[in-house]
Amino acid sequence: MHTPLIAYLVLIIKLQRQIILILLAQLAEIFDHSRLPSADKPVFKRFNQFQVDEKVPLLQADIGSEALDYQQLIAESLEKNGKPILPVRRRKPISFAAQDCPRCSAPQDYLYANNGAGGQLRCKVCQFKFQDGHAEKNKTVALRCPYCQNRLSIHNRRTKFDVWCCYNDKCAFRLGAIDAMSPAEVADFNVHPTAHKVRYTWRTYNFELKGIAPESPIQAPVDLDRIQASPEVLGLVLTYHINYGLSARRTAAIMYDIHGVKISHQTIHNYEMAVAAVVRPFWANYPYALSDQIVGDETYVRVKGKWHYIFYFYDAKCKLILADYVTPNRTTESAVIAINQVLQKMPQIPEKLNFVVDANPIYQVAQIYFAQQGIKFGIHQVVGLENKDEISREYRFLKQTIERLNRSYKENYRSSTGFGSATGSASYTALYSAAYNFLRPHEALHYRIPVELPQLKPFERMPDKWLALIELAQSQLPTAA
């Protein structure tokens, strides 16, 4: 009796199902072709493992090569070619000063102007080029392979460094690397020779160590002595925003809802940068008592919609943040700046200084850079997530401590969903580091503060501690003459 009604309901259900499927297909089409920005994740690219060659290249004054004897070269040319090297046949009088070849001592009769009136001379005997009257100034430093003494050649030029390579096919380093290959690796090397490192390489750098001093990189938009808020308001803002990780907007809301103080989120950012400009030099130059358990790592944060990196270095035993460099680039220069922040906190660099880091090769390259500056330290690399080598097994626990630091920082940072400017990220990170070292009790230290400042001990409330820290940092700033 109800069969037609049931059939009609089934038909309606099928029709609704078809409509839902059509709508879902159209919705998927809209998302696929949408121009709206999507929340991406950091792009993970497997970096090529840069292998640091232990031996340092030989540095020699370069006048083309070693000094030669022009008479011997002329005799060898006569024996080899059956004719001697004759003096230059000149069409015009000599236009350059009387001088000999700085390489083979050939007299002026064998020299000629190589580029007209440009001032460059060339020796016909040894083919050496030099500047008229300035042979000594033309001398440079040549890099030579420590295995075969062959002169290194530029393999690649980068923005901040140059890669040098030994192209001698009979170099002992190259022959030894090939002999150490397995049969399968040799077969692959014959097909893909560039996929295997068999030549001696070295890097020289184009950035100055003196340009990365620990002065505060933060330029505050306001001065602390000109802010309209009372010290109590400033202390509360820093406590909510830094210690409890509230975003600037939530801090502004809680200041109004709980304390009845009306303040904008931009004003909170201005206060944050003003305090960071004062506190960061104090944090960077404080004479910390450090242990031998220093570990480094980099983590990512979002700045103006793009991924930036924080290079952290951390004393795992004393629970101290030693470096907190924020940068858009995950490069060797970034690692050098972060390591330099650590070194500047040491009154004297220990003889057996070691850093525990991950497998990123930029730390090895940074080690080479500092070695060229006369600063030597060791690198222990903890590779991957599993302990497949002795170094990883021995130092894994230190790497885990800095991973915990990264998570602690992101618990605060995540509420803001990113920073609106590079200055904002640097100022917030600087204040977080100062609070971590001087204000925050640590469970591993039996709830003691890593650095217990005597000037802060009389105060129990966190806002008062912030104000005392600011006053102490201001007293340490250099006064204008």
Side-chain angles (χ1 to χ4, degrees), residues 167-462:
Y167 284 102
N168 180 14
D169 289 341
K170 297 183 179 179
C171 177
F173 182 91
R174 180 178 184 274
L175 298 178
I178 295 176
D179 290 341
M181 291 182 179
S182 65
E185 289 175 334
V186 172
D188 185 67
F189 172 71
N190 294 330
V191 179
H192 305 100
T194 58
H196 300 265
K197 182 187 180 303
V198 296
R199 298 186 184 275
Y200 175 81
T201 57
W202 189 252
R203 293 190 180 192
T204 55
Y205 303 90
N206 305 321
F207 53 87
E208 296 291 335
L209 185 63
K210 63 182 181 182
I212 50 181
E215 287 80 7
S216 178
I218 303 162
Q219 299 298 322
V222 296
D223 294 331
L224 282 179
D225 57 353
R226 296 182 180 180
I227 65 175
Q228 298 179 359
S230 65
E232 175 69 16
V233 170
L234 180 61
L236 287 171
V237 165
L238 294 174
T239 301
Y240 290 136
H241 189 43
I242 305 300
N243 295 75
Y244 293 101
L246 298 182
S247 65
R249 293 182 184 274
R250 289 188 176 182
T251 302
I254 201 171
M255 289 298 297
Y256 183 74
D257 295 340
I258 304 299
H259 304 282
V261 177
K262 192 171 184 179
I263 186 172
S264 69
H265 73 279
Q266 184 57 53
T267 301
I268 291 175
H269 285 309
N270 293 342
Y271 291 174
E272 169 193 319
M273 287 183 277
V275 174
V278 173
V279 170
R280 193 185 194 286
F282 176 79
W283 167 83
N285 297 306
Y286 188 83
Y288 298 99
L290 304 180
S291 73
D292 58 352
Q293 298 181 358
I294 300 178
V295 59
D297 193 20
E298 65 277 1
T299 187
Y300 56 87
V301 293
R302 205 162 182 81
V303 180
K304 297 182 68 174
K306 296 183 179 180
W307 291 111
H308 286 215
Y309 297 90
I310 299 181
F311 279 75
Y312 268 131
F313 273 84
Y314 183 64
D315 189 320
K317 183 177 181 180
C318 299
K319 308 304 177 185
L320 292 170
I321 297 176
L322 305 178
D324 61 353
Y325 181 57
V326 185
T327 172
N329 304 311
R330 195 181 188 185
T331 61
T332 296
E333 184 180 9
S334 301
V336 167
I337 294 174
I339 293 175
N340 191 57
Q341 289 185 5
V342 180
L343 298 179
Q344 289 174 332
K345 293 177 175 60
M346 298 179 176
Q348 185 176 1
I349 299 177
E351 293 184 0
K352 296 184 178 180
L353 176 62
N354 292 291
F355 295 120
V356 177
V357 295
D358 58 21
N360 195 329
I362 59 177
Y363 295 108
Q364 290 180 294
V365 185
Q367 182 187 30
I368 295 176
Y369 173 81
F370 279 102
Q372 293 175 349
Q373 308 297 321
I375 302 173
K376 296 183 179 180
F377 53 81
I379 290 290
H380 298 311
Q381 291 189 303
V382 178
V383 181
L385 300 176
E386 299 180 2
N387 297 328
K388 296 183 178 180
D389 57 84
E390 188 62 32
I391 296 295
S392 297
R393 283 191 289 270
E394 184 176 356
Y395 296 101
R396 173 73 62 184
F397 78 100
L398 294 178
K399 187 68 168 57
Q400 290 172 342
T401 60
I402 198 168
E403 293 290 352
R404 182 67 186 93
L405 170 63
N406 292 338
R407 292 194 296 271
S408 298
Y409 175 86
K410 287 189 175 182
E411 287 176 1
N412 282 29
Y413 147 82
R414 192 172 288 110
S415 64
S416 64
T417 66
F419 297 104
S421 67
T423 303
S425 63
S427 60
Y428 185 89
T429 304
L431 292 180
Y432 180 85
S433 299
Y436 195 98
N437 287 2
F438 302 123
L439 302 176
R440 177 181 182 270
H442 205 287
E443 182 180 2
L445 300 177
H446 304 288
Y447 294 98
R448 289 188 295 104
I449 299 171
V451 179
E452 295 181 334
L453 298 173
Q455 295 84 347
L456 274 60
K457 283 187 176 181
F459 304 99
E460 295 183 0
R461 298 174 63 247
M462 187 56 66

Side-chain angles (χ1 to χ4, degrees), residues 56-66 142-152 200:
V56 177
L58 305 177
L59 302 178
Q60 298 179 356
D62 182 30
I63 52 174
S65 67
E66 64 278 2
L143 297 176
R144 295 188 176 275
C145 175
Y147 295 89
C148 66
Q149 285 73 53
N150 185 61
R151 183 174 176 175
L152 301 182
Y200 175 81

